[in-house]
Amino acid sequence: MQRAFAWLDRATLAHPLKVKCSSGAFLALVGDVSAQRVEGTPLTEVDLLRSCKLVLWRTAIHTPFIHVWFNVMERHVPGASIAAVMKK
């Protein structure tokens, strides 16, 4: 497991936006299918169009925006102290 996290860390450093978009898409898909299952939808009747729309939103709009936003915030409010994190 430690090797997997090390690989993910290296990949994130080398290609941050690609890794964030792909992991965001995966988590959106798993989260939406899980939410539909919690709502009582049988696995064979999961609304894949709804899930695909969420994955597209997360990959094309949300994740790139948040990536840029946090980079801007890090430039304007540097640091990892509690006060700096709360300002971000």
Side-chain angles (χ1 to χ4, degrees):
M1 187 62 113
Q2 188 174 1
R3 288 176 53 180
F5 285 123
W7 174 84
L8 182 60
D9 190 44
R10 285 191 309 275
T12 303
L13 291 172
H15 308 284
L17 189 55
K18 288 180 184 178
V19 173
K20 290 174 187 177
C21 284
S22 59
S23 61
F26 174 76
L27 292 172
L29 179 64
V30 170
D32 188 57
V33 170
S34 298
Q36 290 183 54
R37 295 286 290 136
V38 167
E39 292 171 345
T41 306
L43 190 57
T44 57
E45 296 178 21
V46 167
D47 186 355
L48 292 178
L49 181 59
R50 169 184 146 170
S51 297
C52 288
K53 287 178 182 178
L54 183 61
V55 167
L56 180 63
W57 160 261
R58 181 65 61 95
T59 305
I61 299 169
H62 179 262
T63 302
F65 176 79
I66 295 299
H67 172 79
V68 170
W69 175 255
F70 276 100
N71 285 339
V72 168
M73 291 304 294
E74 186 61 32
R75 277 195 301 272
H76 292 290
V77 186
S81 68
I82 292 175
V85 171
M86 295 305 288
K87 288 178 184 177
K88 294 177 193 179

